[in-house]
Amino acid sequence: MAGSSLMENLFQRTLEDLIKGLRLQLIGESAFLSKAIDEIRREVKSTDSDTKANAIHKLTYLSSLHFYDMSFAAFHVVELLSSTRFSHKKIAYHAASHSFTDDTPVLVLITNQLRKDLTSTNELEVSLALECLSRIATVDLARDLTPEIFTLLASSKVFVKKKAIGVLLRVFDKYPDAVRVCFKRLVENLESSESQVVSVAVGVFCELALREPRSYLPLAPEFYKILVDSRNNWILIKVLKIFAKLVPLEPRLANRVVEPVCEHIRRTGAKSLLFECIRTVVTSLSDYESAVKLVVVKIREMLVDDDPNLKYLALQALSVVAPKHLWAVLENKEVVIKSLSDVDPNIKLESLCLVMAMVSESNVAEICRVLVNYALKSDPEFCNEILGSILSTCGSNVYEIIIDFDWYVSLLGEMSRIPHCQKGEEIEKQLIDIGMRVKDIRPELVRVSRDLLIDPALLGNPFLHRILSAAAWLSGIYVEFSINPFELMEALLQPRTTLLPPFIRAVYVQSAFKVVIFCLNAYLLQRGNAASSSYIDKLVPDVPGLVSECDEPESSDLASCDSPVHCKQDEGFNPRVLNQSFEGLLPEHCGEETATRGQVSASSSLKDGFTHESIINLLNRVELALAPLTGSYDVEILERARNILCFIELIKRKMPDCLVQKEESLGREEAPASQIIRLMHNAFSNDLGPVSVSAQERVPVPDGLVLAKNLEDLETIFSDVQLPSSNSVSLGSPQYEDRAGFSLPILQSKEEPGPSNESTSLLADHRKQHGLYYLPSAKNEDEYPPANDLKLQADTNDGDEDLVKLTEQFLVSKKKPNHAKPRPVVVKLDGDQVHIAANPDRKEDLLSGTVRDVLLGSDTNHTSSQSKVSTKSSTQRKGKDKLNVDSVTESKENLGDIEKHDQGNPSSRKSKHHSHGKGRRHKSPGKKGDEREENGQKVKQKSSHSHSKHKARQRAEVPLNVVALTPGIPDFLL
Amino acid sequence: MIRAVMVINTQGKPRLAKFYEFQPVEKQQEHIRSVYGVLSSRAENVSNFVDAESIFGPDTRLVYKHFATLYFVFVFDSSENELAMLDLIQVFVETLDKCFKNVCELDVVLNYSKMHTVLDEIIFGGQVLETSSTEVMKAVEEISKLETASNAISLVPKSVSAWRNR
């Protein structure tokens, strides 16, 4: 036996051999490593501790740097821990702290070994055990070893003492009751003469205070003393961090702290401490004007420093201070803007944030101009970063800062053309949103859209497809502003549209439809005008039967929801009605729809555009382009192409009549063709507006409407219906759903002023009754463009010098205001603001409510407080307040059940806490009082401390009955 | 606290990795890879900060220093000061320099356990323990002495392995 182990030992590879072998291996790294692992698996089982130690050493190395799982060796690590030799112990502890988790089953076996080592006379062994404990301590280990750690806290050796203090953090985390035992000694160490010890102690408090600052307010005097007296930068930084958390909780503290902090700022030469002071001021002391001024001076120094780190941090500090003291940013704007061209992506990003913070109504145009120009030259990632921040800044709060929408819309168009632009969705959303909200801007929108659509190159860039979809939609819906609809049609039908995804192609087709309708209608109007008021151009000798024949199929084709009944009614009435309107009311009646939108276009530039040939050409062109699409596999495209083709076919059949016979016609009645066209035109010219998010909520449920709560029976109905590919239906084209289903009926009712009152009222009724079905679709409209812009992170760089030039320009022109035009009306709905404002509020409420629940165990909503406590105990680990709440129950529990008592098992704790909370509730007089009690309790605990857990536990219950033992912070500080 | 310390060479090979909150090895590897991915694309003479939240989750920062063929990377949260962490990297490297006399990547590769010994004297359970490289050296030397002494008991394998290495 001994012989074999000696042999093993002799020929075993050490870690050093392994590393060297790895560097020289010829068989490939993974093969070499798996061979080594096989070897280790064998060696680790050896009875010889040297062999075992070597194997574990190698395994830890492989696990740490080559990422092999070493959990299989956990037991062998435990075996090795008990070795008497220091070198073995060291290897074992290292392996344990590297690989053990809370779930490692063999952890329960090491408690005794750890205890032995913690009490060892060899300080290096103690240190090993502490080191390991600081990584792997579980609830059980922390509980069982608290007495040993407590003893070590008083060790005379700094080497051990500082580690004992350090380990407390993990111990408190896992086993909050340890606070009762160790807290006093921890606090005492704040006043230690050894700066290393103070440093670690302050570090522990800093971690604790970050999690639950309120509990440490009573210690403010101690921290204050350190802040004033200490000259150790490490310690001061930590103390400053603690104060940054405490000050917001206790305003009187700020008064005391602000002077020493400023003193440090003036005095120190250490950049780290200086920056920490700056951060403390900008985050927690920003109400103190003098301090802020001092800090801004220092920030400026850092900004112009050569060290990019200081520059970066200074920019960061500026962006923290910006919301409250914008002047600080404005003072440094030159540096900030120049930083946009820094080589460092971090600095570029920070300065971009700051630039956006400076944007206001008066300078938004100039800043955006500079930024867009710069985006053109920068690398793709930063370019999108810039575009994203422009979009979000300009679009924030319903385009609050935009006055000149003409400019903004053309900026959007320009941004779309930037080669790296990936913000298609956001631009699409804004284009449509502006179209709906700002009436006056529509002509410009159509112009920008046309420019986008007409450029065949853009179709090749998939990132732009969403923008093109918006452009197509806009130029379809607002076609009357188009300068040249024929050109637009060419753009919509150009061959390269095959590059578009189907749901956007469908938008194109539908827009083409709208353009066709518009052109035909304009043609009719024009002719109507030309052939003087008494002549109605296209008169077919009226044969009523024929009319109804062709009308019916058409209406069912095109406007599927339009019931034939209505159509028939229309036929009966329309000829006369429209006749009348044509005779007398052309300016007014058609004006109703057209005047608001169409005056510009239809009347002026287009007049000469619509000749018979051009219309015929147009129709032919459309037929030619769309005919292949009737074979499309995409339902949306197929359907829309069919609609438009059928319509054209219908019109063409009627066309010759209405055109040829114009001379002889003595117009009394209107041709069915023009009738159809008018109908369709009106259907498409209904105005769309934004819909408030809360619109649906405001619709009262009509009497007698019973909505089934349980919609499960729908399942059975739809079970055999395969949902249409949702992409094409819901994403791409909700508008058209509307067009066909929603707008048409309403328009129709508008169109028939007198005689068709019945149908109007019918529709109105229908609408009233089924308001629910109308609104959601309108709401969709509003939400149509999904708003999510991905924040990309820029990390390539691009040194651009001429930005500086731009900067000068911008700085000069910045001052002059740009209010040439009055701001157009932007439709704003209350929902928009509600949407923006409500969220944070609610969050805040929830948070503070939770904290209160946890603190006080209030009875109002018990269930939630329970769950909050449980999550808190597992995630938040430890706050002093929680100790007071949990510890009593926990210690009771600990006596019984060890195994269950870890993070994974909040349930038992939960239930006990529940009852405890109740008990507490009876005792506590009120929330305020309770809070103070807690502070009092802490002070008491601190001042008269007992080593015995038992006593401490008793005391914990006592102060609950006593109201406010001592105030939170002794007065001498305040 | 400090979440992790990594030393990665310019080819992306990890030379030292220590995570102060337990992470499964796969996760460790993933983190190291993504950190290297970011670092390798950064130019010289830029700031030493990297946005780490996309890699390590919220409230994390990362500073690094580039020495010869090695990146020294510290990941930490808001309870540490960024510049102080840079100083701490300096302390670490200085100590290694004292330890190995002009430290180079090979020293780091071959002295796995010594690296950890040094690091453990500087950072303890994610907290800064010691910032003076002299103090650290004192402790490290003591530990090495005891290690050698405890190994001296078994002279045979030691000498044999030394012979084998020749």
Side-chain angles (χ1 to χ4, degrees), chain A residues 602-707:
Chain A
S603 49
S604 61
S605 65
L606 290 177
K607 233 166 203 168
D608 322 318
F610 297 108
T611 62
H612 180 55
E613 295 83 74
S614 70
I615 292 290
I616 294 292
N617 277 342
L618 179 76
L619 294 182
N620 288 337
R621 173 85 182 84
V622 174
E623 270 187 319
L624 194 69
L626 294 187
L629 291 184
T630 52
S632 166
Y633 288 111
D634 190 273
V635 180
E636 285 295 320
I637 297 179
L638 176 77
E639 196 80 344
R640 287 157 204 277
R642 279 259 163 90
N643 282 350
I644 184 167
L645 287 174
C646 289
F647 178 79
I648 288 173
E649 197 183 331
L650 189 77
I651 294 298
K652 269 193 164 175
R653 223 190 298 156
K654 300 288 170 193
M655 212 54 176
D657 304 342
C658 61
L659 296 169
V660 173
Q661 293 170 7
K662 100 176 165 191
E663 297 309 321
E664 55 207 64
S665 64
L666 297 162
R668 243 141 275 126
E669 279 152 287
E670 183 153 21
S674 56
Q675 190 185 323
I676 295 163
I677 291 165
R678 207 172 311 280
L679 190 79
M680 289 306 298
H681 176 68
N682 285 335
F684 278 142
S685 53
N686 193 33
D687 202 17
L688 283 175
V691 176
S692 160
V693 213
S694 54
Q696 190 172 358
E697 292 159 22
R698 275 183 263 145
V699 179
V701 178
D703 289 341
L705 174 65
V706 184
L707 291 173

Side-chain angles (χ1 to χ4, degrees), chain A residues 345 348-349 352 375 378-388 420 422-423 790-797, chain B residues 41:
Chain A
K348 287 204 283 191
L349 269 184
L352 179 61
S378 50
D379 57 288
E381 266 169 299
F382 192 58
C383 169
N384 280 301
E385 207 66 58
I386 293 177
L387 297 184
H420 302 306
Q422 293 174 6
K423 295 285 172 194
L790 280 166
K791 284 279 169 206
L792 291 169
Q793 174 196 345
D795 56 2
T796 38
N797 34 62
Chain B
S41 65

Side-chain angles (χ1 to χ4, degrees), chain A residues 312-341:
Chain A
Y312 171 67
L313 292 175
L315 288 170
Q316 245 183 8
L318 268 188
S319 56
V320 176
V321 89
K324 263 193 170 175
H325 302 277
L326 193 62
W327 58 268
V329 188
L330 292 173
E331 262 182 24
N332 294 301
K333 63 181 174 225
E334 289 170 53
V335 188
V336 169
I337 291 162
K338 276 178 190 158
S339 307
L340 273 181
S341 57

Side-chain angles (χ1 to χ4, degrees), chain A residues 485-646:
Chain A
F486 297 112
E487 181 191 57
L488 184 63
M489 185 58 93
E490 288 295 321
L492 287 173
L493 298 176
Q494 62 182 294
R496 271 171 71 90
T497 50
T498 45
L499 296 171
L500 293 170
F503 68 96
I504 291 175
R505 191 111 198 257
V507 177
Y508 268 64
V509 175
Q510 190 74 0
S511 291
F513 195 7
K514 289 177 197 163
V515 177
V516 168
I517 300 280
F518 170 77
C519 290
L520 286 170
N521 190 56
Y523 173 62
L524 289 183
L525 280 183
Q526 181 192 331
R527 288 178 49 120
N529 280 343
S532 83
S533 55
S534 62
Y535 285 92
I536 300 299
D537 33 330
K538 48 244 131 153
L539 275 194
V540 199
D542 193 17
V543 188
L546 199 133
V547 174
S548 61
E549 260 173 43
C550 6
D551 233 355
E552 248 176 288
E554 182 268 333
S555 62
S556 52
D557 248 352
L558 292 171
S560 50
C561 76
D562 197 8
S563 72
V565 183
H566 284 280
C567 287
K568 273 183 188 152
Q569 275 181 348
D570 299 345
E571 286 143 32
F573 291 116
N574 270 347
R576 254 168 292 144
V577 175
L578 289 169
N579 201 2
Q580 281 168 10
S581 78
F582 252 66
E583 242 136 35
L585 315 171
L586 196 105
E588 307 148 44
H589 180 72
C590 291
E592 209 176 297
E593 288 293 72
T594 356
T596 44
R597 336 158 109 247
Q599 275 169 345
V600 199
S601 52
S603 49
S604 61
S605 65
L606 290 177
K607 233 166 203 168
D608 322 318
F610 297 108
T611 62
H612 180 55
E613 295 83 74
S614 70
I615 292 290
I616 294 292
N617 277 342
L618 179 76
L619 294 182
N620 288 337
R621 173 85 182 84
V622 174
E623 270 187 319
L624 194 69
L626 294 187
L629 291 184
T630 52
S632 166
Y633 288 111
D634 190 273
V635 180
E636 285 295 320
I637 297 179
L638 176 77
E639 196 80 344
R640 287 157 204 277
R642 279 259 163 90
N643 282 350
I644 184 167
L645 287 174
C646 289

Side-chain angles (χ1 to χ4, degrees), chain A residues 436 688-697 734 738 742 771-785:
Chain A
M436 288 191 296
L688 283 175
V691 176
S692 160
V693 213
S694 54
Q696 190 172 358
E697 292 159 22
D738 288 344
F742 165 54
L772 217 76
Y773 297 112
Y774 281 97
L775 262 167
S777 60
K779 196 179 163 190
N780 269 346
E781 191 72 44
D782 192 38
E783 290 171 353
Y784 161 53

